[in-house]
Amino acid sequence: MCGINGIFGLENLTGSANDIIKKMNDALAHRGPDATGIALCDNLILGHRRLSIIDLSPESNQPMIGLNNQYTIVYNGELYNYNDLKAQLKDYPFKTKSDTEVILAAYHKWGYDCVNHFNGMWAFALWDNNRKELFISRDRLGIKPLYYYKNDRNVIFSSEIRALLASGLVPRKLNTNALFDYFSYQTIHAPETIIKDVFMLMPGHNMIISDTETKIYCYWNIAENYHSQAHNHDYNQAKKNVYELLYKAVERRLVSDVSFGAFLSGGIDSTAIVALMSQASSSQVSTFSVIFHESDFSEAHYAKLVAQKYKTAHHEILLNPNDLLNLLPYTLKAMDFPSADGPNTYLVSKAVKDAGISMALSGLGGDELFAGYPVFNRMKNLQSLQWLQYFPYSLRKITSHIYKTINPSIKADKLSEFLCAEYFRISDIYPLSRKIFTDSTICQILKYKKTPPNRVKKIVSQLLEQGTPGSKLQDIAQTSICEISTYMQNVLLRDTDQMSMAHALEVRVPFLDYLLVEYVLALPDEYKTGKTNKKLLTESLGDFMPNEIINREKMGFTLPWEKWMRNELMNFCNQKISALSQRTFVDSNEITGLWRQYLAGNKKINWSRIWGLIVLENWLTQHNIEQ
């Protein structure tokens, strides 16, 4: 796991290309403390910071040059099937035992199509000296990030926005067009970012850059690539296949030349990963749980139960609120992209790295794939109300207004927007599910006279529009696609990457093995629903999953923000709200009014709505972003 940088187009640079790429590398030092490197290739310069996980030898440092200087690569990620691929590429003169060199060999044999042979997570840039072009790729599900800035002279890319800004070539300008998206979801959905003219390469996409053109194309689409025969499998066959696919996904992710472990919350997903690790690993599995004295926040009992069942080397990391509070400035500084959820991942990653672990497996993705979130039930319930769309819009609007007046709450606000929707398809109603503020409130905050197009609706509509392969999937699978392509990719995976890599910790996510994803999406809805949460997953694992874990109430990792923001963090929050209210893109009275309502105990203004505003202001100030 590493950090990569590059600049294509050196002739018009102000200053030394080597000095610029060094600044970019320095900005990514936290991602790769083991080695740093720079390579000049014609009109291109590449930079790399290395975190050594596979083949720890210096020969595998990057940029890596292969086949008589024909190729040069910088790469962030892991190929889990690299040994299988290496067996197919025997004609290539390998000099290392690294997966990096396997990418070079695969490209030499298959060209751009090499990525279709890969099983892993990656963002890489490969210079082809014969073609005089740069080939950039991002993995299918967007586990590893790739940001880029393009003007009429250069294309600059990196694993993080902060490295682009460190280059001095990217203007520190706020992308005001994306603010509505941030205020709606406390994130900005790719390809847009918080910085003007800086974009993310989308998951499952390649970019090819030459002196004459830059082109981007999709090589894998989650709504089109699902198992063609899975819907014909009976339930017993489906369970057997899910177990085998998940077992192989875990087994592949245990290949490492450094110590590794697993996050263990004691929930279904982390338990599933630990259970299969204990079967696939020849050595004792190390597990890590963050625990609290306060029973409201601690899942220690459940994590200990799983650790005992699978005889893991279990590590309980006891944190108290003051410890967490003291780490908050470092957490905020580690953010490469503003996020209200990031502190949780930062704390867990720090604890695991402090224990001497450089790679950990996570249960991220289990909820999205196996219908574990409440949003799946909400979509099902709302779908059952489709008959409401046949009532006149004016009547539905009046009804929604009355309902909000009688029952002022966040839930009422969302139901009101649902009643006013033009259509009640999943692609129309899903965008309401994770909204933080209503459109009308955001328009008041941002001084908009008209609501702009909803970014989430655009993403999911393109995936599920009538006549596309995705529209043929059943409702739960469609909701999974919505969750994976929006919230998971643009919040959970982004947070996991930036906060784990802040500590040089690699996190692997077996539930996002694309073969498992393609299979589960195609299975019938009735296989995924039942009396217990994530029925298909738990029943596929059988006796590996303790009943106490299956039947426990879902908790999640929640910190006492409500208390902090009214006490220990009051001055900090006041300062940030005051600063944000002075920015020209917001209405000062609206911002301060939200803060006052929160302090007054208005149940419609919960802590997470306010914290997202505070994080945004802190990030803009920290990085000197101009409006």
Side-chain angles (χ1 to χ4, degrees), residues 72 149 225 266 401 434 437:
T72 306
Y149 168 83
N225 291 272
H401 178 73
R434 292 193 178 274
F437 292 109

Side-chain angles (χ1 to χ4, degrees), residues 548-609:
E548 192 169 356
I549 301 300
I550 295 172
N551 297 318
R552 60 164 292 197
E553 184 178 346
K554 187 177 178 68
M555 289 177 64
F557 180 18
T558 305
L559 302 177
W561 293 107
E562 187 79 34
K563 171 182 175 294
W564 289 346
M565 290 170 63
R566 296 178 186 278
N567 296 280
E568 294 93 336
L569 289 176
M570 171 73 85
N571 290 336
F572 175 76
C573 293
N574 263 324
Q575 291 170 7
K576 296 306 175 184
I577 290 293
S578 177
L580 181 62
S581 70
Q582 300 306 307
R583 293 190 180 269
T584 58
F585 60 79
V586 299
D587 184 296
S588 176
N589 292 330
E590 290 292 331
I591 292 294
T592 55
L594 288 170
W595 178 232
R596 285 195 299 269
Q597 289 179 64
Y598 169 73
L599 293 177
N602 187 331
K603 293 181 180 180
K604 291 179 64 175
I605 313 296
N606 60 25
W607 71 266
S608 65
R609 293 182 167 200

Side-chain angles (χ1 to χ4, degrees), residues 6-8 148-151 153-157 207 209 214:
I7 306 170
F8 186 95
Y148 68 94
Y149 168 83
K150 182 179 182 297
N151 57 28
R153 300 181 303 277
N154 324 102
V155 179
I156 308 164
F157 62 89
M207 174 188 286
I209 307 171
T214 298

Side-chain angles (χ1 to χ4, degrees), residues 100-296:
T100 308
E101 194 174 18
V102 172
I103 296 178
L104 294 177
Y107 176 82
H108 178 68
K109 181 171 182 176
W110 295 306
Y112 306 149
D113 190 53
C114 64
V115 294
N116 292 307
H117 296 261
F118 297 162
N119 187 329
M121 54 182 181
W122 68 82
F124 67 77
L126 190 158
W127 171 250
D128 186 327
N129 198 43
N130 289 344
R131 293 186 176 187
K132 301 296 181 185
E133 67 181 24
L134 182 65
F135 176 52
I136 299 177
S137 181
R138 190 173 179 213
D139 66 69
R140 295 173 181 86
L141 287 154
I143 303 169
K144 291 290 101 186
L146 195 288
Y147 298 93
Y148 68 94
Y149 168 83
K150 182 179 182 297
N151 57 28
D152 57 358
R153 300 181 303 277
N154 324 102
V155 179
I156 308 164
F157 62 89
S158 179
S159 298
E160 295 190 4
I161 287 178
R162 77 184 87 201
L164 294 180
L165 297 176
S167 72
L169 303 175
V170 177
R172 295 175 181 264
K173 291 283 188 179
L174 177 65
N175 181 9
T176 54
N177 292 332
L179 284 174
F180 205 96
D181 197 19
Y182 183 86
F183 277 78
S184 296
Y185 300 102
Q186 291 188 342
T187 190
I188 294 172
H189 292 84
E192 295 284 335
T193 74
I194 190 85
I195 302 297
K196 184 179 180 181
D197 297 326
V198 171
F199 301 93
M200 287 194 87
L201 183 63
M202 291 293 283
H205 279 65
N206 293 332
M207 174 188 286
I208 301 166
I209 307 171
S210 68
D211 286 334
T212 57
E213 66 175 342
T214 298
K215 58 183 179 181
I216 297 174
Y217 70 92
C218 177
Y219 68 86
W220 188 88
N221 181 309
I222 189 171
E224 297 177 2
N225 291 272
Y226 50 84
H227 196 289
S228 61
Q229 297 301 315
H231 65 282
N232 294 323
H233 295 172
D234 64 33
Y235 188 56
N236 287 330
Q237 181 65 50
K239 289 192 298 181
K240 180 176 181 292
N241 290 342
V242 166
Y243 172 82
E244 290 178 353
L245 286 166
L246 184 55
Y247 176 87
K248 289 177 181 176
V250 169
E251 184 180 42
R252 277 190 283 266
R253 284 158 180 80
L254 295 181
V255 177
S256 173
D257 292 328
V258 298
S259 57
F260 61 86
F263 297 147
L264 177 59
S265 69
I268 288 174
D269 299 332
S270 64
T271 298
I273 299 303
V274 169
L276 295 177
M277 287 177 72
S278 70
Q279 300 302 307
S281 178
S282 58
S283 57
Q284 185 182 32
V285 174
S286 294
T287 52
F288 297 84
S289 298
V290 172
I291 64 172
F292 304 90
H293 284 306
E294 296 84 352
S295 60
D296 289 346

